[in-house]
Amino acid sequence: ILVNESGKVLIDDQPILIKNISKAVEKLIGKNPNLIFSVQTHPLTKYQIYIKVLDQLKLAKASKISIANPPSY
């Protein structure tokens, strides 16, 4: 899961609204319950956006979450 500096989110290189993350993650977990979600944010991403993404993962009952270093810009 990538989050850019303006708060736009990508899952598997596909844009998604934050409010829709939990449903998409539930579907992915249904296909593979061992899936690990790696969250990467741009250094300028607002903290509130980052927390909203994590909250969506919690709503989807994702139990394997990795907080990754942001990609080099």
Side-chain angles (χ1 to χ4, degrees), residues 1-10 18 40-50 53 70-73:
I1 300 173
L2 295 172
V3 186
N4 72 11
E5 67 274 11
S6 64
K8 304 290 185 201
V9 180
L10 298 175
I18 290 174
Q40 295 181 334
T41 61
H42 187 278
L44 298 177
T45 300
K46 291 184 180 180
Y47 186 70
Q48 295 87 345
I49 300 293
Y50 175 66
V53 170
S72 298
Y73 289 95

Side-chain angles (χ1 to χ4, degrees), residues 7-27:
K8 304 290 185 201
V9 180
L10 298 175
I11 295 181
D12 291 334
D13 296 322
Q14 297 297 314
I16 188 166
L17 296 174
I18 290 174
K19 66 180 184 174
N20 296 333
I21 292 173
S22 64
K23 287 184 182 180
V25 167
E26 285 173 355
K27 287 181 184 177

Side-chain angles (χ1 to χ4, degrees), residues 27-73:
K27 287 181 184 177
L28 292 169
I29 292 172
K31 293 178 185 176
N32 180 358
N34 294 316
L35 196 59
I36 299 170
F37 294 92
S38 175
V39 180
Q40 295 181 334
T41 61
H42 187 278
L44 298 177
T45 300
K46 291 184 180 180
Y47 186 70
Q48 295 87 345
I49 300 293
Y50 175 66
I51 294 302
K52 285 181 182 181
V53 170
L54 292 178
D55 286 346
Q56 287 290 306
L57 290 171
K58 284 175 54 178
L59 279 174
K61 298 188 177 16
S63 60
K64 297 175 181 169
I65 302 169
S66 168
I67 308 303
N69 287 330
S72 298
Y73 289 95

